[in-house]
């Protein structure tokens, strides 16, 4: 493999990790020259990586040799929660059972609030991986990643995230059971009801 694809893949992994972690505030600019230097790659492979994230709607094309982190309003976050819920329901209707590792009740006290965003993200990624429809799978993966920054702030708004994680893992792993639809709708409904506050916390990063 030539050096450029290797460098682009490295830059993609680093940049996506930084975007998902909330390193950059919504609406802020990511300067390709500066970030390419930080990641130890040239501008061309960094640009390849950034363009992939534009396709995933995690970045927008900015001006002056840079990219912009998409702004997140309460309305756009509301739409994304509804879209994610719709995709989950579609996939549950056609899914194959997946191999999940739900947290046992004895381990609930050990769940670190900081670990829940990644654990919940991985849960929905596994559901996407099990989907027989590849378009459904791709759409759910993208929506799940776009919601990661919201998950970083949900713990400041919502309670009982550990037990909720256990229920969601079980519901997404099961190949049957009508109550799983209600469990997963309850997951989304809780966030939809507090979407304004979650969006406010995400955007407060602008003032830090």
């Amino acid at each position: 493999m030539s050096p450029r694809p290797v460098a682009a893949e490295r830059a993609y992994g680093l940049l996506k990790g930084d975007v998902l972690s909330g390193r950059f505030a919504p609406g802020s600019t990511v300067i390709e020259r500066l970030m390419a230097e930080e990641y130890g790659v040239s501008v061309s492979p960094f640009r390849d990586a950034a363009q992939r994230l534009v396709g995933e709607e995690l970045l927008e094309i900015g001006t002056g040799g840079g990219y912009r982190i998409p702004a997140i309003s309460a309305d756009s976050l509301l739409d994304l929660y509804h879209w994610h819920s719709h995709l989950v329901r579609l996939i549950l209707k056609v899914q194959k059972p997946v191999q999940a590792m739900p947290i046992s009740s004895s381990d609930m006290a050990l769940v670190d609030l900081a670990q829940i965003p990644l654990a919940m993200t991985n849960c929905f990624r596994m559901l996407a991986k099990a989907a027989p429809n590849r378009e459904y799978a791709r759409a759910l993966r993208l929506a799940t990643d776009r919601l990661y920054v919201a998950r970083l702030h949900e713990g400041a708004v919502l309670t009982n995230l550990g037990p909720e994680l256990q229920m969601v893992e079980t519901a997404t792993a099961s190949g049957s059971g009508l109550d799983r639809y209600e469990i997963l709708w309850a997951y989304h409904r809780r966030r939809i009801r507090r979407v304004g506050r979650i969006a406010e916390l995400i955007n407060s990063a602008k003032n830090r």
Side-chain angles (χ1 to χ4, degrees):
M1 184 177 289
S2 63
R4 177 165 170 171
V6 173
E9 192 63 32
R10 168 181 164 78
Y12 171 77
L14 292 171
L15 182 57
K16 185 169 184 176
D18 280 341
V19 171
L20 292 181
S21 71
R23 173 182 174 180
F24 308 108
S28 64
T29 299
V30 178
I31 305 298
E32 59 184 17
R33 178 179 54 81
L34 297 178
M35 297 309 301
E37 182 178 342
E38 178 179 327
Y39 295 158
V41 300
S42 64
V43 169
S44 291
F46 177 85
R47 188 173 297 150
D48 292 344
Q51 289 291 342
R52 284 178 64 183
L53 293 182
V54 170
E56 296 176 13
E57 299 186 62
L58 292 173
L59 282 181
E60 297 172 341
I61 296 176
T63 57
Y67 297 85
R68 185 172 55 248
I69 303 297
I72 300 175
S73 67
D75 286 343
S76 65
L77 185 58
L78 177 64
D79 288 345
L80 187 52
Y81 276 130
H82 275 294
W83 174 233
H84 191 266
S85 174
H86 180 65
L87 290 168
V88 167
R89 188 172 183 86
L90 279 175
I91 291 175
L92 286 178
K93 290 179 179 179
V94 297
Q95 86 167 146
K96 301 172 184 177
V98 299
Q99 296 297 318
M101 296 293 291
I103 303 170
S104 68
S105 57
S106 60
D107 291 334
M108 292 307 301
L110 302 178
V111 175
D112 186 338
L113 194 64
Q115 297 173 344
I116 289 179
L118 181 58
M120 193 68 80
T121 297
N122 287 338
C123 178
F124 288 117
R125 283 174 176 168
M126 288 184 69
L127 179 61
K129 186 177 181 180
N133 185 305
R134 287 176 292 181
E135 292 299 324
Y136 290 176
R138 180 179 183 277
L140 181 58
R141 283 196 306 272
L142 295 180
T144 293
D145 285 349
R146 289 172 62 200
L147 280 171
Y148 191 87
V149 69
R151 293 190 191 98
L152 293 175
H153 298 279
E154 289 170 357
V157 177
L158 304 171
T159 59
N160 300 319
L161 294 184
E164 180 185 57
L165 172 62
Q166 183 183 37
M167 290 190 295
V168 169
E169 285 187 323
T170 301
T172 55
S174 172
S176 61
L178 294 178
D179 62 335
R180 63 193 177 135
Y181 293 106
E182 179 54 34
I183 289 170
L184 290 162
W185 172 233
Y187 165 86
H188 290 96
R189 186 171 61 237
R190 288 217 300 157
R191 286 147 180 83
I192 287 168
R193 287 173 173 169
R194 304 301 302 277
V195 69
R197 179 56 179 154
I198 295 170
E200 182 181 321
L201 289 171
I202 295 171
N203 287 294
S204 68
K206 293 181 180 180
N207 301 318
R208 291 174 191 166

